[in-house]
């Protein structure tokens, strides 16, 4: 099996490349010029392809490689200002449009796309929370339209809060763990928002499972959307309590010192059914224990 992974230098994308290579895939990683390869571990298990102009390079790359699966994890993250608007549109809408066109010319290639739970509200209704979520939703619709009209198979996996070892993104799990181990005080929101945490290894396994299922099915079908979630959300305060129990150290948190992120959803909704056959293998407490051991080394 050959896989083409976009967003390969991101945290989840780099871990996915490693997972696929360990499972016998030949992995091709799409890399932007100037991307931080060291942070992504150098991608030693993947052949790297620098893509400078997606409108030209992606089509040529798919034409040359004819991968069995394209796994799209490329995305721009939220921010402010005009430059952020352009960046969000280019990465979250423009790149999917060019990638969809390339895959549509080779209907034997399947596509798995990373969607965001911020595209839906707590009741599971389509209601993007902000411009980031709106552009993510637009990119997903672009892929789905191309799949229906180009007759290639695709699935969107709705990702929740991904955590795991070697995470450089400064997410809440790592902030709480480091605070517990160092005694540093954290200025946090009131902490009543709910998040659904999934270990990065389980997310990588979900992408591979979805890709293999589409390949083995062997025929075009309507696009499908599945949720990759534990189904057991916790509030940030509850997460802090689990961190304290695992680290055997208190978390010094100034709850309410910061406001909630504007327009951020307060709890995940049921955006899609679970990916059939997939369940998380790493429980939250076990996953946190692994991170404590990593941080203590």
């Amino acid at each position: 099996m050959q896989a083409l992974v976009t967003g390969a230098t991101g945290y989840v994308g780099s871990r996915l490349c490693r997972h696929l290579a360990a499972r016998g895939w030949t992995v091709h990683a799409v890399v932007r010029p100037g991307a931080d390869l060291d942070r992504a571990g150098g991608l030693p298990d993947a052949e790297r392809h620098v893509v400078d102009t997606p409108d030209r390079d992606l089509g040529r790359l798919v034409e040359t490689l004819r991968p069995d699966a394209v796994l799209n994890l490329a995305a721009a993250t939220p921010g402010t200002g005009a430059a952020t608007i352009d960046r969000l549109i280019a990465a979250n809408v423009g790149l999917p449009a060019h990638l969809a066109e390339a895959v549509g010319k080779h209907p034997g290639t399947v596509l798995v796309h990373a969607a965001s739970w911020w595209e839906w509200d707590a009741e599971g209704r389509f209601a993007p929370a902000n411009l980031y979520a709106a552009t993510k939703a637009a990119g997903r619709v672009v892929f789905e339209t191309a799949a229906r009209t180009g007759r290639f198979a695709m699935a969107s996996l709705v990702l929740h809060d991904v955590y795991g070892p070697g995470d450089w993104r400064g997410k809440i799990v790592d902030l709480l763990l480091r605070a517990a181990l160092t005694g540093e005080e954290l200025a946090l929101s009131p902490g009543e928002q709910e998040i659904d945490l999934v270990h990065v290894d389980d997310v990588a396994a979900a992408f591979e499972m979805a890709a293999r299922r589409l390949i083995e099915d062997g025929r075009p079908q309507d696009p499908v959307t599945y949720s990759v979630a534990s189904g057991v959300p916790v509030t940030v305060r509850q997460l802090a309590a689990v961190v304290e129990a695992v680290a055997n150290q208190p978390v010094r948190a100034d709850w309410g010192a910061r406001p909630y992120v504007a327009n951020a959803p307060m709890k995940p909704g049921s955006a899609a059914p679970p990916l059939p056959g997939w369940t998380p293998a790493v429980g939250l407490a076990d996953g946190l224990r692994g991170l404590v051991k990593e941080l203590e080394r």
Side-chain angles (χ1 to χ4, degrees), residues 6 10 56 74 77 88 120 131-132 145 170 196 209 237 263 267 296:
T6 67
R56 182 186 68 226
T77 52
L88 288 172
W120 293 268
L131 181 61
Y132 160 75
T145 302
D196 190 308
M209 180 179 290
R237 283 181 178 263
N263 300 319
K267 60 189 299 186
E296 287 179 337

Side-chain angles (χ1 to χ4, degrees), residues 30-33 49-54 57-58 61 95:
V30 173
V31 177
R32 296 190 312 273
H49 304 270
V50 177
V51 169
D52 189 10
T53 52
D57 296 343
L58 284 176
L61 192 56
L95 187 144

Side-chain angles (χ1 to χ4, degrees), residues 16-35:
L16 175 59
C17 288
R18 186 182 308 175
H19 171 90
L20 292 173
R23 300 270 297 183
W25 291 70
T26 298
V27 182
H28 298 274
V30 173
V31 177
R32 296 190 312 273

Side-chain angles (χ1 to χ4, degrees), residues 249-261:
Q249 296 289 341
V251 172
R252 297 178 59 229
D254 186 0
W255 298 106
R258 296 186 180 209
Y260 290 115
V261 175

Side-chain angles (χ1 to χ4, degrees), residues 198-235:
V198 184
H199 195 277
V200 68
D201 290 347
D202 286 326
V203 172
F207 271 90
E208 185 196 11
M209 180 179 290
R212 285 190 181 274
R213 181 164 297 154
L214 292 175
I215 292 167
E216 290 166 3
D217 190 68
R219 55 187 168 80
Q221 55 188 284
D222 287 336
V224 291
T225 302
Y226 297 119
S227 179
V228 177
S230 72
V232 188
V234 295
T235 67

